[in-house]
Amino acid sequence: FFKRRGINVVDTYSNLAGNCTESEIAEILVPVIEQYNSADYRSVTVWYNKFISALQSEQTQAQLLPIVSPSQASESDDETQGQASGQSDFFYEPSKTAVLTALCTQYISYLLYAAIKDSYAAEEGARMAAMDSASENAKDVILDLTLLYNRQRQAAITTELTEIVAGAASLN
């Protein structure tokens, strides 16, 4: 899929499923963030199956880096633009950079964690639908085989009765 579209896949992670931990997510994100900060990557995107319902999911992409702020998403909000330009009445401890770095890292971790959980839910929904379909198909096969068995048994009984009646008629 990615090769045909000319997208460079640097690494893949599988089997994260339902029990991924914060340390596993950090193990994935720390090198990615470092390489993004060193300008090795222009952007970081995660592709996953978005859970819609037990019977439906869709492939979705989410941009992890660079983080898109609300002011970049909608330029119409003047109040948000004022804060984005650096005007604020807040004091940051230990420093603005340290606080924002920690918050951004947690936000990216949350986005990745949500994508993993969403993908896991979609996988479980697909499994549930497949098992339901297999059970229904098995019931149909059992019904068809039972009907076939009963027809063959009835034909055998009819043949035996015909032979008995023919034998009795020949004795008379």
Side-chain angles (χ1 to χ4, degrees), residues 20 22 32 45 53 58 60 71 73 84 96 98 107-108 111 122 131 138 143 145 160:
C20 65
E22 191 174 323
V32 170
T45 305
S53 70
E58 65 182 25
T60 306
S71 64
K96 186 175 184 177
Y107 177 69
I108 294 168
L111 289 177
M131 288 304 296
L143 183 65
L145 288 174
E160 283 183 28

Side-chain angles (χ1 to χ4, degrees), residues 11-141:
D11 207 349
T12 59
Y13 297 90
S14 57
N15 298 325
L16 294 173
N19 297 329
C20 65
T21 63
E22 191 174 323
S23 63
E24 289 173 324
I25 291 175
E27 185 180 311
I28 295 168
L29 284 179
V30 167
V32 170
I33 292 171
E34 286 173 359
Q35 289 176 325
Y36 175 79
N37 287 337
S38 66
D40 290 344
Y41 305 142
R42 286 182 299 154
S43 67
V44 177
T45 305
V46 62
W47 290 77
Y48 64 99
N49 292 319
K50 182 178 181 182
F51 176 78
I52 296 172
S53 70
L55 300 175
Q56 186 179 9
S57 64
E58 65 182 25
Q59 281 191 331
T60 306
Q61 65 176 336
Q63 182 173 313
L64 299 180
L65 292 169
I67 296 174
V68 179
S69 71
S71 64
Q72 291 171 333
S74 76
E75 293 290 326
S76 61
D77 190 354
D78 294 332
E79 187 174 322
T80 307
Q81 287 177 354
Q83 289 182 356
S85 66
Q87 302 170 1
S88 67
D89 296 330
F90 298 105
F91 294 103
Y92 297 93
E93 291 292 331
S95 70
K96 186 175 184 177
T97 304
V99 170
L100 288 176
T101 300
L103 286 176
C104 288
T105 303
Q106 286 179 349
Y107 177 69
I108 294 168
S109 295
Y110 165 77
L111 289 177
L112 184 59
Y113 182 76
I116 291 168
K117 290 298 183 179
D118 222 9
S119 190
Y120 182 69
E123 180 184 352
E124 289 298 318
R127 282 185 184 163
M128 187 176 73
M131 288 304 296
D132 185 51
S133 177
S135 295
E136 288 300 317
N137 289 340
K139 287 177 187 176
D140 291 343
V141 168

